[in-house]
Amino acid sequence: MEPRKVNLSEKFAAFDDYWNPRIVGALNGQHVKLARLKGDFVWHQHENEDELFLVIEGTLHIELADETLVLNPGEFGIIPKGTLHRPKAPEEVKVLLFEPQSTLNTGNLENEFTRKNLDSI
């Protein structure tokens, strides 16, 4: 692997669909992904992987069993493995995700939101 620079604005301009993460980098068994989010996702959990959500643009709500994390641009939240959660985006949100390569976006279930083979951009 060679050193490289990634321009987030250029990468986000390459797609406009929601809840479909794209891989923009990999390191030490982790994927760096970008996604556009809008509307409600599904309640799910990841048994073996922690997730990091870094908000680039917009406001992301992550519902948990007893609270809601509200993340604004420049803020990130870490969802520990095994934590039931549901991301929500009342308006479009652009996020950077950092998680193990094995992470399935819908965690412990498969449905219309599940993306098994992610595109790299």
Side-chain angles (χ1 to χ4, degrees), residues 19 37-43 53 58-64 68-71 85-93 95:
W19 305 109
L37 313 178
K38 188 172 181 181
D40 296 350
F41 202 57
V42 294
W43 283 99
F53 292 82
T59 301
L60 177 64
H61 301 252
I62 302 177
E63 293 183 334
L64 306 168
T68 299
L69 298 179
V70 178
L71 304 175
H85 63 288
R86 177 172 74 159
K88 295 177 71 170
E91 301 296 327
E92 182 179 88
V93 177
V95 296

Side-chain angles (χ1 to χ4, degrees), residues 95-121:
V95 296
L96 181 146
L97 306 167
F98 187 68
E99 53 199 16
Q101 292 177 2
S102 62
T103 304
L104 184 63
N105 68 324
T106 53
N108 61 324
L109 53 103
E110 290 188 31
N111 59 29
E112 69 275 7
F113 287 109
T114 303
R115 303 290 182 263
K116 290 186 177 182
N117 300 309
L118 302 182
D119 292 332
S120 292
I121 58 171

Side-chain angles (χ1 to χ4, degrees), residues 24-38:
V24 294
L27 67 155
N28 302 318
Q30 303 283 311
H31 274 157
V32 179
K33 303 172 185 174
L34 297 181
R36 291 175 181 263
L37 313 178
K38 188 172 181 181

